[in-house]
Amino acid sequence: MFNKADGNKKAGVTEESKEEFEEKMNWIKNGSSEVFIQSHDNLRLGAYFKKSDENSHKFVILCHGFGGNAVKMHDIGQFYYKKGYNVIFINQRARGLSEGRYCTMGALEGK
């Protein structure tokens, strides 16, 4: 989430972008389940699972880039959701729902 104490003005974060972030996060969370796996080093790694309104067997798993979180995948997730897909928005280590100190982009998850 955005925090005024983080120096958002310097980063070019505006009230409008905060509202957009919150709107996208609310869409992802609304009707989603929070799901977790346990990593080999005992961290909880989380994702949002947004089940299609249809009885679909189609899935898409979305992975954000370095420094991102589930919200970064909102637009593509919404696209697939509207096409009837079940969508999983994962959070890398140290992002969103996931525990951890560093985002390793899957390097430690492959162990």
Side-chain angles (χ1 to χ4, degrees):
M1 286 274 213
F2 295 109
N3 181 342
K4 289 186 180 189
D6 290 346
N8 292 327
K9 279 191 172 183
K10 291 180 188 173
V13 175
T14 64
E15 286 297 322
E16 194 172 293
S17 64
K18 290 178 196 177
E19 289 173 13
E20 183 180 11
F21 175 90
E22 289 175 7
E23 183 179 309
K24 288 179 176 185
M25 193 71 236
N26 287 337
W27 183 86
I28 291 170
K29 286 182 173 181
N30 186 28
S32 292
S33 301
E34 293 180 1
V35 294
F36 296 89
I37 62 167
Q38 189 86 21
S39 69
H40 71 92
D41 53 350
N42 296 319
L43 296 177
R44 281 175 31 113
L45 305 178
Y48 295 101
F49 173 49
K50 192 161 184 87
K51 187 162 175 42
S52 172
D53 293 334
E54 303 171 17
N55 190 15
S56 176
H57 296 308
K58 301 182 290 185
F59 287 81
V60 63
I61 301 172
L62 301 176
C63 179
H64 62 79
F66 188 77
N69 58 34
V71 172
K72 295 288 187 183
M73 301 308 302
H74 167 272
D75 295 346
I76 190 111
Q78 190 175 55
F79 170 82
Y80 280 106
Y81 184 79
K82 287 180 178 179
K83 299 274 185 197
Y85 283 77
N86 298 295
V87 183
I88 300 172
F89 296 87
I90 71 159
N91 284 283
Q92 299 279 353
R93 286 170 179 259
R95 301 291 184 262
L97 296 171
S98 295
E99 296 176 342
R101 189 167 179 186
Y102 303 105
C103 181
T104 64
M105 298 304 295
L108 295 178
E109 288 72 23
K111 291 185 175 188

